[in-house]
């Protein structure tokens, strides 16, 4: 509870202002360090919302340490299953519906129906392809389909398309979702191998795919769509936009890691966090 206050009261507002409030990473070129970082794009929050939370969660996971008996001394990883996968599935479906407000709502206007429709379709197609890709990937790696992986694949597609939904074509959105679905499965397995305990796969969903979605914006950037949907009169080429996305992701990641570590360590020293 206390860390949430710290995260929402300090970290999110600063990094959010950098991107959405005309700050360091926003569209205006400016001079000096602003000229280096300017023109970072994040339509609805793959970085502003998701990867910031993911970086904070990674820091907390490392400082808190794993649950008791999760990682055995002999190297065995004990799966601790969710208690109600029906509720988990219902939650994901509600989130999927909610994303139709989250992403199209970031147009900030009900007057541009074509822009809202484009963002909505991109959002939905990425969720679909993320779900299918995670199902296939988990089936191939684990020899059977895994519901938790499938659910996280849906969320991964949604997280990844959140930044680029107004800047890419629907075909690109489908590819972004496919890659997100693969990333989330490998991410869950990777964090287990690194002995980082993540009970719900949040690092794979929000951190890895928040970063992927922000970078995908540059890789699949379409200047014509950006002008029509996001109202950008000018834009970078794909290569230049990708470079700006990479800079922004790195800056926000370092900033969040440092402040999150400070917050978690202070709490650990003062009141304990386990």
């Amino acid at each position: 509870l206390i860390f949430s206050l710290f995260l929402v009261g300090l970290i999110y507002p600063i990094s959010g202002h950098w991107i959405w409030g005309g700050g360091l990473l926003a569209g205006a070129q400016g001079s000096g360090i602003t000229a280096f970082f300017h023109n970072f794009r994040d339509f609805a929050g793959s970085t502003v919302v998701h990867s910031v939370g993911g970086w904070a969660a990674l820091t907390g996971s490392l400082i808190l340490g794993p649950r008791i008996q999760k990682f055995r001394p002999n190297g065995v990883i004990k799966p601790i299953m969710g208690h109600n996968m029906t509720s988990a599935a219902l939650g994901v479906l509600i989130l999927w519906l909610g994303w139709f407000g989250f992403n199209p709502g970031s147009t900030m206007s009900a007057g541009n129906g074509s822009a809202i429709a484009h963002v909505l379709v991109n959002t939905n197609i990425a969720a679909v392809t993320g779900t299918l890709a995670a199902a296939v990937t988990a089936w191939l790696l684990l020899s059977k389909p895994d519901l938790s992986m499938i659910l996280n694949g849906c969320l991964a597609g949604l997280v990844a398309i959140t930044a680029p939904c107004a800047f890419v074509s629907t075909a690109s959105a489908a590819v972004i979702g496919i890659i997100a679905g693969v990333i989330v499965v490998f991410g869950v397995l990777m964090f287990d191998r690194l002995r980082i305990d993540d009970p719900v796969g949040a690092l794979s969903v929000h951190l890895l795919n928040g970063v992927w979605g922000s970078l995908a914006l540059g890789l699949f950037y379409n200047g014509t769509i950006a002008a029509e949907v996001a109202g950008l009169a000018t834009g970078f080429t794909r290569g230049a936009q990708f470079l700006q996305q990479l800079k922004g992701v790195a800056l926000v990641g370092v900033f969040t890691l440092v402040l999150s570590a400070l917050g978690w360590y202070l709490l650990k020293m003062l009141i304990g966090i386990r």
Side-chain angles (χ1 to χ4, degrees):
L1 289 172
I2 297 171
F3 182 81
S4 295
L5 180 64
F6 175 71
L7 176 65
V8 176
L10 181 65
I11 298 176
Y12 270 124
I14 294 175
S15 57
H17 175 265
W18 284 350
I19 299 166
W20 284 349
L24 180 62
L25 294 172
Q29 183 166 352
S31 60
I33 191 170
T34 305
F36 180 76
F37 283 110
H38 81 290
N39 211 60
F40 180 85
R41 304 292 185 193
D42 185 352
F43 188 72
S46 289
T47 290
V48 174
V49 177
H50 296 284
S51 72
V52 169
W55 290 118
L58 173 62
T59 312
S61 297
L62 292 171
I63 295 171
L64 174 64
R67 289 167 290 176
I68 296 169
Q69 294 296 311
K70 171 67 177 178
F71 302 113
R72 303 292 178 82
N74 61 2
V76 172
I77 300 171
K78 177 187 176 184
I80 303 174
M81 303 304 294
H83 76 286
N84 191 323
M85 295 308 293
T86 305
S87 292
L90 179 61
V92 168
L93 292 172
I94 293 169
L95 278 168
W96 191 341
L97 177 64
W99 237 280
F100 295 149
F102 191 67
N103 283 4
S106 292
T107 59
M108 304 304 287
S109 171
N112 191 344
S114 61
I116 290 171
H118 182 86
V119 170
L120 194 152
V121 170
N122 278 0
T123 299
N124 199 53
I125 197 69
V128 171
T129 57
T131 302
L132 294 173
V136 172
T137 304
W139 204 333
L140 292 173
L141 291 178
L142 306 175
S143 301
K144 61 180 180 179
D146 181 279
L147 179 58
S148 66
M149 292 289 196
I150 293 168
L151 296 175
N152 274 343
C154 177
L155 296 178
L158 289 165
V159 168
I161 199 58
T162 294
C165 55
F167 304 97
V168 302
S169 68
T170 301
S172 296
V175 175
I176 291 168
I178 289 170
I179 296 172
V182 174
I183 287 173
V184 77
V185 175
F186 279 96
V188 168
L189 301 176
M190 176 190 74
F191 285 117
D192 269 352
R193 291 195 184 97
L194 294 174
R195 302 179 78 82
I196 298 172
D197 191 8
D198 180 3
V200 297
L203 298 177
S204 301
V205 170
H206 298 284
L207 174 55
L208 296 186
N209 279 292
V211 169
W212 159 239
S214 300
L215 298 179
L217 188 153
L219 290 173
F220 295 93
Y221 183 81
N222 185 310
T224 302
I225 291 174
E228 293 175 354
V229 178
L232 298 180
T234 60
F236 286 178
T237 63
R238 283 183 179 177
Q241 188 64 55
F242 174 77
L243 181 60
Q244 296 309 106
Q245 297 301 112
L246 188 61
K247 293 175 187 176
V249 164
L251 177 65
V252 172
V254 170
F255 168 77
T256 308
L257 282 170
V258 171
L259 262 68
S260 295
L262 177 64
W264 284 120
Y265 274 121
L266 282 173
L267 286 173
K268 188 172 185 177
M269 289 188 297
L270 294 174
I271 62 173
I273 57 174
R274 181 175 289 279

